[in-house]
């Protein structure tokens, strides 16, 4: 299963690590790929992970999910 998140506030390669780390730290998330140009994150996960949990994990790192 894949979910696309639009994340605001990511401006450089340094932003990638905390966002990807927060998402891959969730149980059930297999992979998170940040695209800085588009501001989107593609999250590969199983069906036990909610979009709300992903949003909260990213927002805890100081970024906004819209």
């Amino acid at each position: 299963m894949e979910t696309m998140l639009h994340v605001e506030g990511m401006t450089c390669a340094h932003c990638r690590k905390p966002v990807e780390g927060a998402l891959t730290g969730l149980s059930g998330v297999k992979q998170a790929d940040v695209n800085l140009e588009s501001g989107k994150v593609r999250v590969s996960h199983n069906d036990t992970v909610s979009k709300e949990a992903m949003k909260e994990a990213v927002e805890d790192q100081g970024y906004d999910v819209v």
Side-chain angles (χ1 to χ4, degrees), residues 31-43:
Q31 187 173 353
D33 295 309
V34 170
N35 183 317
L36 292 172
E37 290 178 14
S38 68
K40 293 188 178 177
V41 183
R42 180 181 315 214
V43 186

Side-chain angles (χ1 to χ4, degrees), residues 31-65:
Q31 187 173 353
D33 295 309
V34 170
N35 183 317
L36 292 172
E37 290 178 14
S38 68
K40 293 188 178 177
V41 183
R42 180 181 315 214
V43 186
S44 299
H45 57 92
N46 63 32
D47 61 356
T48 63
V49 183
S50 70
K51 188 171 183 178
E52 187 60 36
M54 291 183 261
K55 179 180 176 184
E56 186 176 314
V58 171
E59 290 179 345
D60 283 349
Q61 298 302 309
Y63 301 96
D64 294 318
V65 178

Side-chain angles (χ1 to χ4, degrees), residues 5-26:
L5 301 174
H6 182 86
V7 180
E8 291 184 341
M10 296 185 302
T11 57
C12 64
H14 180 72
C15 300
R16 179 183 320 247
K17 187 175 181 178
V19 171
E20 289 178 346
L23 289 166
T24 57
L26 293 173

